[in-house]
């Protein structure tokens, strides 16, 4: 629920900031980055509504509504922080101002990151045409813009997972200690998306139950599954870290007994 509620405010704030800075194609790139890794039946209705929201003209960057959108978008990050703190068994000792500023900072960083990707996707066809002049035959290895969008979305997703596990929860963890849970999360997300999409195609008929709210309910159930898998990945990391720490203590204790 927090993730779904945060998507719209984030994209509203990010699109407004991007438009203020002259990045006119931001909205299209952002929608692809957010939804290209979702199953099509789940993503299409939500992406369509997001596009409708992003086409609304807004007065300026520093309006109350846009600043409120940034704040509400950061609530989604705060929900991730709470889940990760619980999974890693740590208590939040940082001040509320520090963590809220960090969340808003991530929102701004994500905005500029998507702007950079949007700019690169615009330049990519031009760069490829220039490369053809200097390297004849390169057209045989050309790929579609859709492939690049999906690849970039996947890279952004992996980077986002590492950032979330590394800096959102309190305490310190090495990047290496995060790998098991993130690999499990990605594998389970792919499997879960495939199974849920198959379930929708074969058995489920949300329209008969929820009528016009069917798309929303499907998205909520899908995000619930994704969130549960995300938390399981953090739990796996936490268990792995505790196991390694216990193993190190046992080894240290054995070494001390050997010296004595």
């Amino acid at each position: 629920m927090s993730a779904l509620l945060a998507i719209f405010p984030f994209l509203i704030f990010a699109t407004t900031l991007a438009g203020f800075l002259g990045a006119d194609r931001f909205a299209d790139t952002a929608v692809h980055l957010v939804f290209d890794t979702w199953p099509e039946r789940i993503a299409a209705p939500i992406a369509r509504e997001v596009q409708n929201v992003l086409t609304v003209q807004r007065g300026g960057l520093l309006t109350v509504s846009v600043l409120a959108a940034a704040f509400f978008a950061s609530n989604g990050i705060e929900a991730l922080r709470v889940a990760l703190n619980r999974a890693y068994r740590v208590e939040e000792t940082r001040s509320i101002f520090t963590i809220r500023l960090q969340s808003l900072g991530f929102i701004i960083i994500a905005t500029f990151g998507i702007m950079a990707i949007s700019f690169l996707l615009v330049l990519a066809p031009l760069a490829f045409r220039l490369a053809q002049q200097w390297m004849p035959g390169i057209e045989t290895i050309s790929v579609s813009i859709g492939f690049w969008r999906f690849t970039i979305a996947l890279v952004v997703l992996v980077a986002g997972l590492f950032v979330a596990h590394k800096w959102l929860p309190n305490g310190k963890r090495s990047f290496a200690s995060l790998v098991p849970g993130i690999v499990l999360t990605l594998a389970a997300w792919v499997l879960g998306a495939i199974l849920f999409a198959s379930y929708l195609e074969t058995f489920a008929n949300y329209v008969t139950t929820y009528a016009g709210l069917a798309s929303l309910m499907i998205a909520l159930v899908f995000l619930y599954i994704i969130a549960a898998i995300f938390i399981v990945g953090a739990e796996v990391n936490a268990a792995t870290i505790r196991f390694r720490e216990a193993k190190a203590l046992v080894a240290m204790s054995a070494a001390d007994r050997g010296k004595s």
Side-chain angles (χ1 to χ4, degrees):
M1 177 67 77
S2 296
L4 188 61
L5 292 177
I7 287 175
F8 286 86
F10 164 68
L11 290 175
I12 289 171
F13 169 77
T15 304
T16 305
L17 177 58
F20 179 78
L21 297 175
D24 297 329
R25 301 191 60 172
F26 176 91
D28 182 59
T29 302
V31 170
H32 280 288
L33 287 178
V34 173
F35 296 106
D36 273 359
T37 54
W38 292 29
E40 184 177 357
R41 181 174 175 182
I42 302 169
I46 305 298
R48 184 168 56 250
E49 296 305 320
V50 168
Q51 285 280 20
N52 292 336
V53 169
L54 297 185
T55 55
V56 176
Q57 296 295 323
R58 293 176 174 82
L61 177 63
L62 297 178
T63 62
V64 174
S65 61
V66 172
L67 293 178
F71 177 81
F72 289 123
S74 69
N75 287 343
I77 295 178
E78 289 304 310
L80 295 179
R81 190 194 306 279
V82 171
L84 289 171
N85 277 333
R86 292 175 179 174
Y88 284 108
R89 310 296 193 272
V90 294
E91 293 186 6
E92 188 56 69
T93 58
R94 295 165 291 183
S95 72
I96 187 172
F97 299 104
T98 299
I99 60 177
R100 183 61 73 167
L101 285 174
Q102 185 192 55
S103 297
L104 291 171
F106 282 144
I107 294 295
I108 295 173
I109 291 171
T111 299
F112 280 99
I114 297 176
M115 285 173 59
I117 292 170
S118 177
F119 183 67
L120 290 174
L121 287 174
V122 171
L123 287 182
L126 175 61
F128 186 76
R129 286 195 295 270
L130 291 175
Q132 285 180 317
Q133 298 178 7
W134 295 95
M135 292 181 289
I138 195 175
E139 61 274 3
T140 59
I141 61 172
S142 64
V143 292
S144 67
I145 194 69
F147 170 81
W148 286 115
R149 279 175 172 162
F150 180 82
T151 302
I152 292 172
L154 185 60
V155 171
V156 169
L157 176 61
V158 173
L161 284 172
F162 273 102
V163 168
H165 283 270
K166 176 70 174 176
W167 285 292
L168 283 185
N170 201 13
K172 296 181 179 180
R173 289 151 296 277
S174 66
F175 281 105
S177 67
L178 305 178
V179 172
I182 289 177
V183 170
L184 174 64
T185 298
L186 291 171
W189 274 353
V190 172
L191 180 61
I194 293 173
L195 292 177
F196 187 61
S198 299
Y199 166 72
L200 291 176
E201 293 291 339
T202 308
F203 301 107
N205 190 358
Y206 280 76
V207 175
T208 59
T209 305
Y210 297 104
L213 296 176
S215 297
L216 176 61
M217 297 308 300
I218 290 172
L220 283 175
V221 173
F222 176 70
L223 287 172
Y224 184 88
I225 295 170
I226 294 300
I229 293 172
F230 175 79
I231 294 172
V232 168
E235 292 280 359
V236 168
N237 280 342
T240 303
I241 291 171
R242 290 196 298 271
F243 173 76
R244 290 174 178 172
E245 290 175 347
K247 189 176 180 181
L249 288 174
V250 171
M252 188 180 298
S253 177
D256 290 340
R257 287 196 300 268
K259 291 178 181 179
S260 62

